[in-house]
Amino acid sequence: MYTKVIIVLSTILLTACAFNDDKVNDIEVAKLLNDQPFANYQTYQIESEKDIYALDQDMINFVHGSLMAEQDPFVRSRKLLKKLFHSSPTDLRYMNGANLTAREAFHQNTANCLSLTILAYALAREAHLQIQFQEIEIPEYWIREGDFNLLTGHVNLKVVGDSHNGYRVVWGGKTTTIDFDPYVVKKHFPKDVIGRKRVTSMFYNNKGAQALVRGDYDLSYAYFKKSIEADKLFAPVWGNLGLLYKKVGYESHAEQAYLASVTIDGKNYNAWNNLAILVSEQGRAVEAAQIYRFIEKERRQNPYYYALLGDEAYHNGNYEESIRHYKRAKSMLDDQHEFYFGLSRSFYMMGDYELAEFYLSKAKKHAAYKDIKEQYQSKLKLLSKL
């Protein structure tokens, strides 16, 4: 699952504060944006909002050739879902970093949850389906990319009727959810209906985060600025912008960006954490300690937090500590393949190939995606030869 990527530093703790409508309304974008450190940011060709959702003739032909014969929008939407996932040549493969436009996702047959949602939206609109973007309130969940941990969110698309002939009443309670992750759908996490501007902001934020990881700071700023222009109340982009400012030595701007993020969303724990790191490095130990205590209290019930600690321990060579954290995560939530994979590779590094193979088999069993199962199977074949 993937969407509003939030860049976080290697070692993380988290906290929260109250949402304040008046302060949100007081956020002055012009004062928080500083072009000066990013002299070349305007030289990049950034996708327009129209580009993100645009269809080409092949996509239009796909919709009209495969979907429009169905009068019932529920049948039409289910057919779209099946075509996306199960019918060559349009069946999609999940790739975490595939932050793609609708056209790119369609022709590359690759997507993450955001680009899948964008593609499904574009195709569904052409198919005259009535649709809603949904942001899912999943627990904090991290992935590693190089030296960074990235906190992920999740979006999907819900088809609720026909946009042209009022078929919604006849359809009744039937809806179709288009989502890469069946776990998210089955768990019935809280969800919010969001608009296209928010999804556009997420797209630019993801692209900016990827550029930040690569060290391409001017491009990163260009995308973060576009994200803010699309939706200034998308809290994660302000937190990411703060980290970018810090990377180029603009600490006062970084602090203000972090504060903007947590003013919009007091539960943006990563922005709080990065703010705590910043003030700690400036010698403001009391402020930092208050934030850290609050953050840790909030995260104690999250198994993914212990998986994050396990990942950090693994990358620092502390394999016994990594195993301890992953086992705690598993005890809280026993159906996540990542936890078993974390245990497998830690036992492998300790030379216990039997347990490594045991937990890798568990990882394969619980993996939701076919391509991930295949990756685990390849690893199992290698382990069996040891």
Side-chain angles (χ1 to χ4, degrees):
M1 64 191 84
Y2 194 82
T3 196
K4 48 177 186 178
V5 179
I6 306 171
I7 304 297
V8 297
L9 300 181
S10 297
T11 324
I12 311 174
L13 300 163
L14 299 172
T15 190
C17 77
F19 184 92
N20 189 316
D21 289 320
D22 293 334
K23 288 185 178 180
V24 169
N25 292 332
D26 288 342
I27 289 175
E28 298 182 53
V29 172
K31 290 184 179 180
L32 292 170
L33 292 175
N34 183 1
D35 301 347
Q36 186 175 346
F38 312 102
N40 298 314
Y41 88 94
Q42 290 180 305
T43 65
Y44 292 98
Q45 188 72 31
I46 304 297
E47 300 91 336
S48 68
E49 182 175 352
K50 183 178 179 181
D51 290 334
I52 296 170
Y53 302 96
L55 286 78
D56 59 22
Q57 194 59 50
D58 287 341
M59 298 166 75
I60 293 171
N61 292 343
F62 164 76
V63 170
H64 290 271
S66 300
L67 307 177
M68 295 309 292
E70 304 294 346
Q71 294 299 309
D72 186 330
F74 177 70
V75 176
R76 202 183 315 150
S77 66
R78 298 298 297 178
K79 200 167 184 178
L80 171 59
L81 181 64
K82 184 177 179 180
K83 288 283 184 181
L84 285 172
F85 289 113
H86 303 299
S87 300
S88 181
T90 57
D91 53 319
L92 289 175
R93 290 174 286 108
Y94 179 84
M95 183 177 293
N96 196 40
N99 296 301
L100 306 175
T101 66
R103 280 177 296 197
E104 290 169 339
F106 182 85
H107 289 289
Q108 295 179 28
N109 296 333
T110 302
N112 59 30
C113 79
L114 180 61
S115 53
L116 167 70
T117 301
I118 289 169
L119 172 59
Y121 168 85
L123 296 173
R125 283 191 69 199
E126 183 66 23
H128 302 166
L129 292 169
Q130 188 173 356
I131 45 188
Q132 295 174 344
F133 290 115
Q134 297 185 130
E135 184 172 14
I136 315 302
E137 296 180 26
I138 61 172
E140 288 185 304
Y141 176 86
W142 294 264
I143 59 170
R144 175 175 285 273
E145 191 163 325
D147 293 331
F148 289 89
N149 286 309
L150 284 73
L151 177 65
T152 71
H154 195 80
V155 292
N156 62 28
L157 193 76
K158 186 176 183 180
V159 184
V160 297
D162 192 295
S163 62
H164 277 43
N165 62 15
Y167 210 113
R168 183 173 186 168
V169 176
V170 178
W171 192 353
K174 293 181 179 179
T175 61
T176 300
T177 299
I178 299 177
D179 196 314
F180 254 129
D181 195 340
Y183 172 80
V184 169
V185 178
K186 290 177 182 176
K187 282 291 184 179
H188 301 291
F189 290 116
K191 55 186 69 71
D192 296 310
V193 174
I194 58 175
R196 175 165 149 164
K197 290 292 185 183
R198 173 59 55 89
V199 175
T200 302
S201 183
M202 289 175 173
F203 174 85
Y204 291 134
N205 181 53
N206 283 4
K207 299 281 278 192
Q210 286 183 314
L212 177 51
V213 168
R214 296 193 305 268
D216 194 343
Y217 296 153
D218 285 7
L219 179 59
S220 180
Y221 181 75
Y223 273 117
F224 288 156
K225 189 171 183 179
K226 285 287 286 185
S227 177
I228 290 165
E229 289 171 356
D231 184 354
K232 75 171 187 177
L233 297 184
F234 182 49
V237 68
W238 288 109
N240 288 347
L241 180 62
L243 182 56
L244 177 61
Y245 281 143
K246 186 183 178 190
K247 287 287 185 182
V248 296
Y250 279 62
E251 292 192 356
S252 63
H253 287 83
E255 182 170 349
Q256 292 306 308
Y258 292 147
L259 288 172
S261 183
V262 299
T263 297
I264 296 167
D265 180 5
K267 293 183 179 180
N268 186 350
Y269 300 134
N270 277 326
W272 276 110
N273 179 76
N274 285 342
L275 176 62
I277 292 171
L278 177 65
V279 300
S280 177
E281 291 173 350
Q282 294 175 344
R284 295 153 63 183
V286 174
E287 293 174 64
Q290 290 176 332
I291 297 174
Y292 281 137
R293 283 196 297 271
F294 199 0
I295 290 171
E296 189 166 14
K297 179 181 177 182
E298 293 295 318
R299 279 191 167 167
R300 284 175 184 164
Q301 303 306 313
N302 182 4
Y304 296 103
Y305 172 56
Y306 296 102
L308 172 69
L309 296 179
D311 185 68
E312 287 297 309
Y314 174 86
H315 283 277
N316 290 328
N318 300 323
Y319 304 122
E320 290 184 359
E321 181 183 346
S322 176
I323 290 167
R324 186 167 64 253
H325 287 308
Y326 273 115
K327 282 187 173 180
R328 181 163 185 179
K330 181 176 69 68
S331 71
M332 298 171 72
L333 190 64
D334 64 0
D335 60 356
Q336 295 303 291
H337 69 94
E338 299 96 332
F339 302 168
Y340 293 104
F341 179 62
L343 286 166
S344 174
R345 62 181 183 172
S346 292
F347 278 115
Y348 177 85
M349 294 303 293
M350 293 179 66
D352 192 333
Y353 301 136
E354 184 176 345
L355 279 177
E357 185 173 359
F358 171 77
Y359 282 114
L360 191 55
S361 296
K362 290 276 192 179
K364 178 188 172 185
K365 176 183 176 182
H366 290 289
Y369 308 131
K370 180 181 177 182
D371 54 337
I372 296 178
K373 285 182 180 290
E374 290 172 351
Q375 291 171 21
Y376 286 148
Q377 181 59 39
S378 297
K379 295 177 188 294
L380 281 168
K381 287 182 179 178
L382 293 174
L383 267 177
S384 67
K385 295 176 182 179
L386 295 177

